[in-house]
Amino acid sequence: GFFEIPLLDGGKTKNFNPDFLVWVGKSKLVAIDTKGSHLLTDDAGRKLFFIKSSKGAEVLIRFVSDGYYTDFKEMKSSKGYTVWLVKNGKITPIPVNTIEEAVKVCIRD
């Protein structure tokens, strides 16, 4: 409950509370949420979005799930992780081998 992002749709929850917050310098805040594969399709459309900052810190939202995905349809491998982010207006999966790589992907632009 430390950090809440109000959700505007009529889903089951009214707010998004990310698992982790990471400050990158003074100008970027990354909200990272871990997701099981059973929650990806429901939560990604509601909680993974682009927030335009008018002033202050830029807020980026990232999901991290177990396994390699190239889309929402199916896990390609149970090894590794996938970072989900919004790129050019589309939800984009980025598969990585380790959790350390996942963190690096989460905090880069």
Side-chain angles (χ1 to χ4, degrees):
F2 171 72
F3 186 79
E4 289 186 332
I5 300 171
L7 299 171
L8 302 177
D9 67 0
K12 294 181 261 182
T13 56
K14 293 181 182 178
N15 297 303
F16 168 44
N17 301 90
D19 294 331
F20 303 97
L21 297 173
V22 179
W23 280 99
V24 180
K26 293 182 180 182
S27 61
K28 185 171 23 172
L29 176 64
V30 182
I32 303 171
D33 205 40
T34 55
K35 291 289 170 204
S37 59
H38 63 289
L39 297 173
L40 276 173
T41 53
D42 289 343
D43 283 355
R46 295 186 66 231
K47 298 178 181 178
L48 191 61
F49 48 84
F50 174 77
I51 299 175
K52 184 175 180 178
S53 177
S54 60
K55 61 181 178 176
E58 176 184 14
V59 177
L60 303 174
I61 299 173
R62 307 289 190 245
F63 285 173
V64 178
S65 63
D66 286 335
Y68 276 29
Y69 288 84
T70 54
D71 56 38
F72 284 117
K73 294 178 185 165
E74 67 180 271
M75 182 186 299
K76 301 298 181 189
S77 170
S78 61
K79 295 182 181 180
Y81 302 89
T82 300
V83 176
W84 300 86
L85 52 92
V86 175
K87 189 174 185 178
N88 299 323
K90 293 185 178 185
I91 296 174
T92 304
I94 301 176
V96 296
N97 293 316
T98 67
I99 198 68
E100 291 82 7
E101 289 177 69
V103 171
K104 287 178 184 178
V105 169
C106 285
I107 63 174
R108 73 178 187 209
D109 286 337

